[in-house]
Amino acid sequence: MLYVTRRYSFSAAHQLSAPQLSREENEKLYGKCYYTHGHEYILEVTWKGKVNPGTGRLLSSDIEDAVQEKVITFLGHSYLNKKAIFVHQPPTGENLLKEIWGLLSPVNEGVQLHRLKLSETRNNAFEYAGEKIN
Amino acid sequence: MIFITKTFEFSCAHSYDGSPQAAEEGRKFPGDILSKEVHGHNYLLEVTVKGPVDQQSGMVINLTELKRIVQERVIHVFDHRFLNWEVPPFNEKLPTSENISVEIWNLLDGYFPRGTLHRIRLYESRDFYIEYFGERD
């Protein structure tokens, strides 16, 4: 097995606010993150699989295109709170990462999504490898 | 068990348009138009060795020795070379980062006097890297 990681970036705005809470409760819980702001997110996508002997590569251009289209184009320069996926949950790094996992894990032409790492800033990062039972 | 990683750099040229041998035999490698042109990368190689700490020396492996072995077996072979022409097996195998990683593993596995090779991580650029843990993974 071989693991291939590609690093992407996209810029998006968000405001942390839980739909069930009042304005005061949200302000107290999320502090400055309650106010609309943005990040240059860095996303590392790791795929696991076997090299295609014909191309010498793990990833087909279809997979590379799928990440670009399903995640980077979809989320880049958007206001995350307005996306349907964040109507019922706050667009925290954790939730964003799980949503990205949901978008990419069905893509599996000969490879398997292995790990995601999402850095919100230089100082905050989230990692997820699905709910596999290890 | 401790994991110890040393980083190396080497620069190579390559293309995905095949080797002189492949061209003679009429074989064509697939690849996009850009990667068929000869181009190069500054590869960053991370070699991770795992093992118990030797009580007397306090080390898993002497880093100077690790460095010497990787330089002799890998860096001197790859650095400032045109892979398709000068570094077998890439005269007949596509010099992708995936294939280079497996080749580097094979060049190093079993050659360390202490510890065991755990992982090869090869950065082709800041935004793209391969990890290989050997065939048993």
Side-chain angles (χ1 to χ4, degrees):
Chain A
M1 287 294 174
L2 214 78
Y3 301 80
V4 171
T5 302
R6 197 180 281 284
R7 190 172 175 269
Y8 304 85
S9 75
F10 61 92
S11 305
H14 72 168
Q15 174 203 19
L16 295 191
S17 168
Q20 306 85 345
L21 302 179
S22 69
R23 184 198 157 99
E24 289 71 29
E25 287 170 321
N26 271 313
E27 254 186 311
K28 193 173 170 222
L29 175 62
Y30 295 115
K32 64 180 180 182
C33 300
Y34 174 70
Y35 305 103
T36 301
H37 62 285
H39 299 290
E40 175 84 24
Y41 289 94
I42 306 282
L43 175 69
E44 285 184 26
V45 182
T46 304
W47 302 91
K48 176 184 181 177
K50 288 189 173 147
V51 172
N52 174 335
T55 62
R57 310 232 72 148
L58 189 72
L59 302 183
S60 65
S61 53
D62 288 351
I63 289 181
E64 306 258 17
D65 292 348
V67 180
Q68 198 65 42
E69 189 188 321
K70 285 172 185 284
V71 179
I72 310 304
T73 307
F74 176 57
L75 298 171
H77 284 82
S78 75
Y79 184 27
L80 297 176
N81 297 64
K82 287 193 172 169
K83 295 280 181 196
I85 48 176
F86 292 119
V87 169
H88 303 294
Q89 58 178 351
T92 55
E94 293 90 327
N95 284 339
L96 182 54
L97 191 55
K98 288 181 86 165
E99 289 298 333
I100 295 172
W101 183 274
L103 293 170
L104 290 181
S105 57
V107 179
N108 56 6
E109 295 158 46
V111 293
Q112 196 189 332
L113 186 59
H114 179 66
R115 191 184 70 113
L116 292 178
K117 180 178 178 185
L118 182 71
S119 305
E120 205 172 53
T121 67
R122 266 190 298 268
N123 303 323
N124 300 336
F126 307 89
E127 291 186 56
Y128 189 57
E131 301 293 337
K132 289 175 281 197
I133 301 159
N134 285 319
Chain B
M1 188 79 91
I2 297 275
F3 298 78
I4 176 166
T5 301
K6 190 157 176 65
T7 304
F8 301 85
E9 276 188 73
F10 60 92
S11 305
C12 303
H14 70 173
S15 90
Y16 296 154
D17 200 25
S19 60
Q21 263 160 282
E24 256 173 48
E25 294 163 21
R27 282 188 285 140
K28 271 281 178 191
F29 286 133
D32 58 47
I33 293 158
L34 275 178
S35 44
K36 280 182 180 170
E37 294 290 340
V38 177
H39 62 283
H41 300 286
N42 295 325
Y43 293 93
L44 197 79
L45 169 66
E46 290 179 9
V47 177
T48 303
V49 173
K50 66 179 173 189
V53 178
D54 177 70
Q55 234 179 350
Q56 199 190 335
S57 70
M59 299 188 283
V60 173
I61 179 174
N62 187 327
L63 273 170
T64 310
E65 212 166 346
L66 171 65
K67 180 180 173 183
R68 183 184 57 76
I69 293 164
V70 176
Q71 278 186 332
E72 271 178 23
R73 298 196 58 79
V74 177
I75 308 303
H76 291 168
V77 177
F78 283 79
D79 193 28
H80 284 75
R81 297 287 174 198
F82 181 18
L83 297 177
N84 305 61
W85 290 57
E86 297 180 291
V87 185
F90 301 112
N91 52 341
E92 47 186 23
K93 200 172 193 177
L94 278 168
T96 59
S97 291
E98 287 89 332
N99 284 341
I100 297 170
S101 303
V102 173
E103 181 61 17
I104 291 174
W105 175 280
N106 292 336
L107 287 170
L108 292 177
D109 190 28
Y111 285 89
F112 297 119
R114 289 173 190 278
T116 320
L117 184 59
H118 172 67
R119 183 185 67 196
I120 294 298
R121 184 185 274 168
L122 184 69
Y123 282 85
E124 180 181 288
S125 70
R126 197 188 57 170
D127 296 332
F128 185 74
Y129 66 86
I130 309 294
E131 288 167 302
Y132 187 55
F133 298 81
E135 263 184 352
R136 59 189 174 270
D137 178 41

